[in-house]
Amino acid sequence: VWFQFIMCQLVAIVMLSTSISDEIYHKTLGVLMTTPINSFQIVAGKLLSKLLQLVILIAISLPLLAIVRIFGGVPWDFLVCGICLTLSTAIFFGSVSLFFSICCRRAYVTILVSFLVLGAIFGLVPLLTAMLYDAFRWSEHTYMNFFAHSHPYFQMIFNTGKLLEPRATGMFNIHWLFSCGVMLGLSTVILGLSIALVRRIALRQATGQAGLFEVRRRTFREKSNAAARAGTIRKVRGKPVLWKELKMPLLGKRKKTVIAILILTLLVLFFTYAFFADENAFDDEEFHMLYTIIFMSLGMLFTIVIPATVITSEKESQSWHLLLTTTQSDWQILFGKFAGAVRRCLPAWIFLMGHIIIFSSFGFIHPLAIFLTAILVFWVIVFHTSTGIYFSSRFKHTTTAVIMNFVLPAILWGLIPFVIGIFTEIFRFRFIRSNDTLEYYIDVIPFIQNIVVIEGTTNTTYMYSRGNYNYNDSFHWPQGPSDALGTIEWMIFFMLLYLFISFIFLWRAKCNFRKKIF
């Protein structure tokens, strides 16, 4: 139930990321307005057609859940609650993605903006609200009552706890129908705004006026013509693909908007740091684990999405075929795409490395964490960039490539450990040390490596501040070394392993360049 609850949200965002932008970019939205179809039918049809596939996937899981119910232990209330919360939350996530697809031309921009906005709504807003209640000593009953009824994740946690420990949650009376109603109500508001915006843009196209994306292209073309007349055209130096990828602006065309968002993010981050400083939480390893996991998830989000679009975006704009007719070799194209993707992903990792460096300089984290985290960040960027370029070369559409680049880590670091754990429990009486396989595999997961590094470099802060850091017994791997030197060797081993796998993906991506290009 939890798996389909989370995965349906991710899939809904990705599948609806190009629902309206494709119509706008290919100038078919104005043609639709000349038919009896209105803007409401366009938006509703786009949303429901994509969500129909999610409904089918959920329906496929119903027989399995029914079998579990027949064997006992899982009441129907929990299953119905999980399915309804999954559908209502997926509709809300899909509505948000559809709305941003009207404003953003690129699929990866829509996906990233949707993830960030929804992360702020479901994660940052409750956290800031809790901090305000704690800072002003307000009653927590109102805060908990509101989010417990309206927040779908609170609802899922509550109902799961009620399933496992009924007596522990007997004091609360929370019903999931209110949360579903809140999600559907918010979806209605967002879809209403989408309908109005779609109608406006479609009428502009139908009457021959400049559309949303055409204005930007014309402005760019006028600037290019003006630069040509003035003789200020920049000449290509070195490898053209690499030059083109490196010249792409990091902040995009909306620089002021991005800078304003960054400033707001830094202010919110400063506020949260000030709150935890007042609580004297800088010495707690849980504080650093929370922030590093959040920053690492943010970096991985950008590193999963952006590389998966470097080739499919050119296929969709029909410029990929022209690039293959040039004198550039496949390895030169691959290197240029790889370098450009890494360059655009690096800013997302500044928060993680900045957190480690800042708190290391103040003595809350041992400086060894900087080196270990740099190793972890290095291979994560290379690995996800390589897989993203492979899927981008393998598929024609950006949506498919991005979904597959999400599915791969979910299988590697989620499904496979789950299956190994099941077989470990089945054969634990037959093989005494069968649990070692699962523990060795868990060491491969990057989030586990991050937790081990933070735990090993912050749980001895008192000794480190006095110059007596324990290098021999600070790290607690599930099945790895406990000393600092062994941890460095262990991390380097994993880095080399992932680099080898990354090279295989890049090689296969190069082989796919000239296959099925039409």
Side-chain angles (χ1 to χ4, degrees):
V1 170
W2 269 98
F3 175 79
Q4 70 178 10
F5 175 68
I6 295 176
M7 291 305 298
C8 284
Q9 300 167 16
L10 302 180
V11 174
I13 291 176
V14 177
M15 293 183 67
L16 286 158
S17 60
T18 58
S19 53
I20 304 297
S21 59
D22 282 346
E23 300 286 351
I24 298 176
Y25 180 65
H26 293 101
K27 300 181 180 180
T28 56
L29 189 61
V31 179
L32 287 177
M33 293 302 295
T34 62
T35 66
I37 301 176
N38 55 35
S39 57
F40 170 78
Q41 293 172 322
I42 294 174
V43 173
K46 292 289 185 179
L47 178 67
L48 297 178
S49 63
K50 300 297 183 180
L51 293 181
L52 177 62
Q53 303 177 43
L54 294 180
V55 174
I56 294 175
L57 292 176
I58 296 175
I60 293 174
S61 68
L62 288 179
L64 177 61
L65 298 177
I67 293 174
V68 176
R69 172 65 187 91
I70 292 174
F71 283 109
V74 181
W76 277 114
D77 293 343
F78 177 75
L79 300 182
V80 175
C81 166
I83 293 174
C84 292
L85 286 174
T86 299
L87 288 175
S88 59
T89 310
I91 291 174
F92 177 70
F93 276 57
S95 302
V96 173
S97 180
L98 184 145
F99 174 79
F100 285 115
S101 70
I102 303 174
C103 308
C104 305
R105 172 183 170 184
R106 301 294 183 183
Y108 73 91
V109 177
T110 303
I111 296 172
L112 291 177
V113 173
S114 300
F115 272 116
L116 294 177
V117 171
L118 292 169
I121 293 175
F122 290 104
L124 185 60
V125 172
L127 178 61
L128 294 178
T129 306
M131 290 180 178
L132 289 175
Y133 270 81
D134 185 81
F136 293 98
R137 301 295 188 269
W138 293 339
S139 174
E140 296 182 359
H141 181 268
T142 305
Y143 162 76
M144 291 299 298
N145 189 54
F146 173 76
F147 281 105
H149 283 82
S150 60
H151 202 294
Y153 286 88
F154 276 65
Q155 285 283 348
M156 285 294 294
I157 293 173
F158 170 78
N159 285 278
T160 305
K162 186 178 180 180
L163 172 68
L164 301 177
E165 295 289 341
R167 291 178 295 180
T169 56
M171 64 184 69
F172 298 99
N173 185 17
I174 302 174
H175 205 279
W176 48 268
L177 284 177
F178 185 81
S179 178
C180 294
V182 171
M183 290 294 99
L184 294 177
L186 293 176
S187 302
T188 303
V189 174
I190 295 175
L191 290 176
L193 296 175
S194 302
I195 291 171
L197 192 57
V198 165
R199 176 177 175 80
R200 179 182 177 184
I201 297 175
L203 290 177
R204 290 173 63 89
Q205 284 192 352
T207 56
Q209 302 181 51
L212 188 66
F213 298 137
E214 286 76 9
V215 172
R216 296 170 191 164
R217 281 209 310 273
R218 185 177 301 172
T219 303
F220 178 77
R221 188 181 301 113
E222 290 175 355
K223 291 182 179 180
S224 300
N225 293 336
R229 289 191 297 269
T232 57
I233 297 180
R234 291 176 296 179
K235 295 183 178 181
V236 178
R237 298 178 180 178
K239 300 177 180 179
V241 178
L242 178 61
W243 179 90
K244 177 248 183 184
E245 295 292 333
L246 294 181
K247 287 297 181 179
M248 293 184 63
L250 285 176
L251 301 181
K253 298 179 180 179
R254 301 183 179 93
K255 294 183 179 180
K256 295 182 179 180
T257 304
V258 175
I259 292 175
I261 294 175
L262 289 176
I263 293 175
L264 179 62
T265 303
L266 293 176
L267 290 176
V268 173
L269 191 61
F270 176 78
F271 173 76
T272 58
Y273 279 156
F275 171 80
F276 284 111
D278 184 66
E279 298 291 331
N280 295 322
F282 288 170
D283 290 332
D284 299 334
E285 60 186 27
E286 290 81 6
F287 162 77
H288 298 287
M289 287 182 185
L290 173 64
Y291 274 87
T292 53
I293 288 176
I294 292 175
F295 293 151
M296 187 173 180
S297 301
L298 178 65
M300 290 182 67
L301 172 64
F302 279 80
T303 313
I304 288 175
V305 173
I306 292 178
T309 65
V310 293
I311 297 178
T312 53
S313 60
E314 296 206 18
K315 291 180 179 179
E316 293 173 348
S317 62
Q318 298 181 358
S319 61
W320 178 247
H321 316 99
L322 298 177
L323 179 60
L324 295 180
T325 60
T326 62
T327 57
Q328 294 293 302
S329 65
D330 292 345
W331 284 111
Q332 290 175 329
I333 297 175
L334 178 65
F335 178 73
K337 294 295 183 181
F338 181 85
V342 170
R343 173 179 172 269
R344 283 184 284 170
C345 294
L346 283 179
W349 294 94
I350 293 177
F351 293 99
L352 176 60
M353 295 304 302
H355 179 91
I356 299 295
I357 294 173
I358 291 174
F359 284 95
S360 295
S361 62
F362 286 100
F364 294 104
I365 300 178
H366 193 275
L368 180 62
I370 301 176
F371 177 70
L372 296 177
T373 305
I375 294 177
L376 176 60
V377 170
F378 174 72
W379 73 253
V380 167
I381 292 177
V382 174
F383 177 73
H384 283 305
T385 303
S386 303
T387 58
I389 293 177
Y390 168 76
F391 290 124
S392 187
S393 67
R394 180 67 176 80
F395 300 102
K396 293 183 178 180
H397 300 288
T398 300
T399 304
T400 309
V402 172
I403 290 178
M404 293 304 299
N405 212 26
F406 272 110
V407 170
L408 180 62
I411 294 176
L412 289 178
W413 303 326
L415 182 61
I416 293 179
F418 178 74
V419 174
I420 295 176
I422 291 178
F423 280 97
T424 298
E425 291 296 322
I426 294 175
F427 298 107
R428 62 179 176 177
F429 298 109
R430 189 174 301 178
F431 304 102
I432 298 177
R433 298 188 60 82
S434 60
N435 196 43
D436 293 349
T437 304
L438 177 62
E439 293 180 351
Y440 275 117
Y441 194 88
I442 288 178
D443 288 347
V444 180
I445 302 176
F447 290 101
I448 300 299
Q449 296 182 17
N450 176 72
I451 292 174
V452 171
V453 169
I454 295 301
E455 183 183 11
T457 53
T458 59
N459 60 359
T460 53
T461 305
Y462 179 79
M463 290 187 294
Y464 163 61
S465 62
R466 297 179 179 273
N468 297 319
Y469 180 76
N470 185 7
Y471 288 92
N472 297 322
D473 191 18
S474 298
F475 300 90
H476 305 285
W477 292 88
Q479 198 59 249
S482 60
D483 60 308
L485 181 60
T487 297
I488 295 175
E489 296 174 351
W490 202 235
M491 295 282 289
I492 293 177
F493 169 75
F494 289 134
M495 180 187 68
L496 296 177
L497 175 64
Y498 276 103
L499 290 180
F500 175 74
I501 299 174
S502 302
F503 177 77
I504 295 177
F505 274 104
L506 289 176
W507 172 66
R508 291 305 307 166
K510 192 268 300 184
C511 297
N512 292 331
F513 280 178
R514 303 182 186 275
K515 293 181 180 179
K516 298 180 180 180
I517 59 176
F518 298 103

